[in-house]
Amino acid sequence: MKKTLYLSLVLVAGIVALFALRTRQPYNPELEAAINSSSRPAALRGLLAASDAQHREALGYLITHMPQADRDTMSLDLLGENVEYALMAYNKYPWAQSLPKEVFYTDVLPYHVVDEVRDSWRRELYELFAPLVDTCSTMYGALCAVNSNIPKITGVEYNTRREKTNQSPRESMRQGMASCTGLSILLVDACRAVGIPARFVGTASWHDNRGNHSWTEVWIDGAWRVTEYYFPSQLDHLWFMADAAKARPDNRHYAIYATRFGEAPDWFPMVWCGEEDTPIDSLPRYIGAENVTQHYITLAHEQQVRHTEAGTHTLLRIAGYTRRGATQHSADRAVIGVDIFAGTEQMGGGLTAGPTRDMNDQFTLLIPKNATYELRYNNVEGQLQRQAVYVGEEPMTVNIYLE
């Protein structure tokens, strides 16, 4: 019995050594364990053995760190295509070649963002956006080329009538619409398709419980910078910064997370996977992430100090009431969701204070002086209201009404 066991171990070691020799790579115990955990180890080894050294290394990283379900069932042709076009962008664009290998592997190479359907997005988005960035000399220039053209090129606009929250790029492009989650997935993938490191960021809920939000970060000049669909050139200065400043790093429901492929210190709360009353700790945990809440709190505070010291911004306070002519008592107040726009650009959004809050407690936003803004909110019948407001040099308070 012992002799048989010994011979079996020798045989296994020989097979592993032969595989490493054939692929001209040192034995990787993590990769080997991942392959052995799959329901199709022979097929995975065959894919690696048929690849050149550069493709094999990239494939090995993905196989090692991909979710188990993908390791068992994802189309290997699709996986190979993803690596082929990722390396095509890497070998073509100087900004991709200048990346640290870890950044390329974790934030350019991956074939998925969260739990969206796995489809052939990389080839399609590469073919759409490569002509736009081929003349760019910097990663920032390439990012602006992608984000300033992505609605027109893909035909996808923001619309909550989309089929589902976590749409893949092809699903969003087929419908021509997506909500913030789908738009963020699409922007992340469009950036990655041309060698720009990008990751998905979001919160399960803002501080005032008005729902989740998702956006995008891009890695430029050695740091993660904040951007979003429809904001081609703005980095680290978006409409939700006032909300991000109130996020809570010690509370998963109100914290901000950035996804991370591979080894990660935490997991991303995919709230769309559960019902409204699903406990957040009961959500799937297989998408890695890091808690970046404190970074956003610091960033928002620095911006507020900078704007205040420069004297370029002032405070807009918004109070919500049930009906006109009744604004004297706390019982008259109403919780109203309101968004603030300057033209087509959203400057902020939030909830007005309700009847149980102090009368001095008002939804407040720091915005540029001497400009006209539009407040958008729904009345008691659900009809969209648009109210134009000119904000001059001094702070001002505006009332909005349900009736």
Side-chain angles (χ1 to χ4, degrees):
M1 181 68 180
K2 290 183 178 179
K3 183 176 181 180
T4 301
L5 178 60
Y6 172 76
L7 291 175
S8 298
L9 292 173
V10 170
L11 179 60
V12 170
I15 292 173
V16 169
L18 179 61
F19 173 73
L21 179 62
R22 285 193 62 190
T23 57
R24 296 196 179 100
Q25 290 211 131
Y27 172 59
N28 182 332
E30 288 185 316
L31 174 58
E32 188 63 21
I35 291 174
N36 288 334
S37 73
S38 173
S39 60
R40 49 176 179 173
L44 294 176
R45 289 194 176 95
L47 177 64
L48 291 167
S51 304
D52 63 33
Q54 188 182 35
H55 286 69
R56 190 163 52 244
E57 183 178 337
L59 283 166
Y61 181 83
L62 292 177
I63 292 171
T64 299
H65 297 290
M66 67 200 313
Q68 186 65 47
D70 290 344
R71 194 178 295 123
D72 290 338
T73 63
M74 182 180 172
S75 165
L76 296 187
D77 289 339
L78 181 58
L79 184 62
E81 178 185 278
N82 177 84
V83 170
E84 177 185 356
Y85 277 84
L87 293 178
M88 191 180 300
Y90 175 83
N91 293 325
K92 184 177 185 179
Y93 298 119
W95 55 80
Q97 295 171 16
S98 68
L99 294 172
K101 179 179 287 188
E102 180 185 11
V103 173
F104 178 79
Y105 274 12
T106 58
D107 299 293
V108 176
L109 179 64
Y111 57 87
H112 73 92
V113 178
V114 280
D115 64 338
E116 72 277 14
V117 169
R118 309 320 191 205
D119 61 29
S120 181
W121 60 266
R122 192 181 290 271
R123 178 176 66 179
E124 188 168 2
L125 294 180
Y126 176 85
E127 292 172 350
L128 287 174
F129 290 100
L132 297 179
V133 306
D134 281 350
T135 58
C136 296
S137 58
T138 66
M139 185 180 292
Y140 177 72
L143 169 66
C144 291
V146 170
N147 206 1
S148 61
N149 289 285
I150 191 168
K152 178 178 64 177
I153 294 294
T154 64
V156 179
E157 301 286 355
Y158 178 82
N159 194 322
T160 56
R161 294 182 177 179
R162 78 290 185 259
E163 292 175 358
K164 59 183 181 180
T165 302
N166 56 335
Q167 291 177 174
S168 70
R170 279 194 166 182
E171 290 176 324
S172 295
M173 291 167 70
R174 171 176 55 78
Q175 301 168 63
M177 65 180 76
S179 57
C180 63
T181 301
L183 294 180
S184 299
I185 292 172
L186 179 56
L187 181 56
V188 167
D189 285 343
C191 289
R192 289 178 175 180
V194 291
I196 301 171
R199 64 185 185 180
F200 183 94
V201 189
T203 180
S205 177
W206 291 126
H207 61 94
D208 54 11
N209 294 312
R210 70 180 192 277
N212 71 302
H213 186 56
S214 307
W215 60 93
T216 302
E217 287 184 353
V218 289
W219 197 87
I220 293 182
D221 296 330
W224 286 107
R225 309 293 299 278
V226 188
T227 188
E228 196 173 35
Y229 205 90
Y230 294 124
F231 293 85
S233 60
Q234 295 189 44
L235 298 177
D236 297 340
H237 186 78
L238 295 176
W239 64 270
F240 52 79
M241 282 301 178
D243 290 308
K246 298 177 182 178
R248 295 168 56 183
D250 58 345
N251 187 317
R252 187 174 296 280
H253 196 71
Y254 301 110
I256 298 172
Y257 293 90
T259 59
R260 180 176 175 83
F261 188 88
E263 296 182 4
D266 214 321
W267 53 277
F268 193 93
M270 297 184 289
V271 292
W272 53 85
C273 291
E275 302 299 329
E276 189 172 341
D277 58 351
T278 300
I280 197 165
D281 287 330
S282 298
L283 296 172
R285 302 188 179 197
Y286 63 87
I287 299 301
E290 58 180 294
N291 188 324
V292 293
T293 310
Q294 190 56 53
H295 169 70
Y296 278 85
I297 293 173
T298 301
L299 183 63
H301 175 72
E302 290 174 348
Q303 287 185 0
Q304 182 172 352
V305 170
R306 187 164 59 250
H307 291 326
T308 302
E309 291 179 348
T312 57
H313 289 57
T314 192
L315 295 176
L316 172 63
R317 301 183 180 93
I318 304 174
Y321 295 94
T322 302
R323 59 187 180 278
R324 298 178 185 275
T327 61
Q328 298 301 312
H329 305 288
S330 61
D332 299 326
R333 303 224 293 179
V335 177
I336 305 174
V338 57
D339 293 314
I340 300 90
F341 285 80
T344 60
E345 180 180 350
Q346 186 168 4
M347 306 301 293
L351 298 175
T352 58
T356 61
R357 302 266 287 275
D358 189 281
M359 289 293 283
N360 294 311
D361 185 357
Q362 298 172 333
F363 171 56
T364 304
L365 192 68
L366 187 68
I367 56 176
K369 297 177 177 179
N370 303 312
T372 298
Y373 300 95
E374 184 177 73
L375 310 187
R376 301 180 187 177
Y377 60 95
N378 291 329
N379 65 14
V380 70
E381 297 177 351
Q383 299 169 330
L384 179 63
Q385 306 297 299
R386 298 172 181 263
Q387 181 174 334
V389 175
Y390 179 79
V391 177
E393 289 284 331
E394 301 300 323
M396 68 177 300
T397 299
V398 175
N399 295 340
I400 60 177
Y401 306 92
L402 284 176
E403 299 177 4

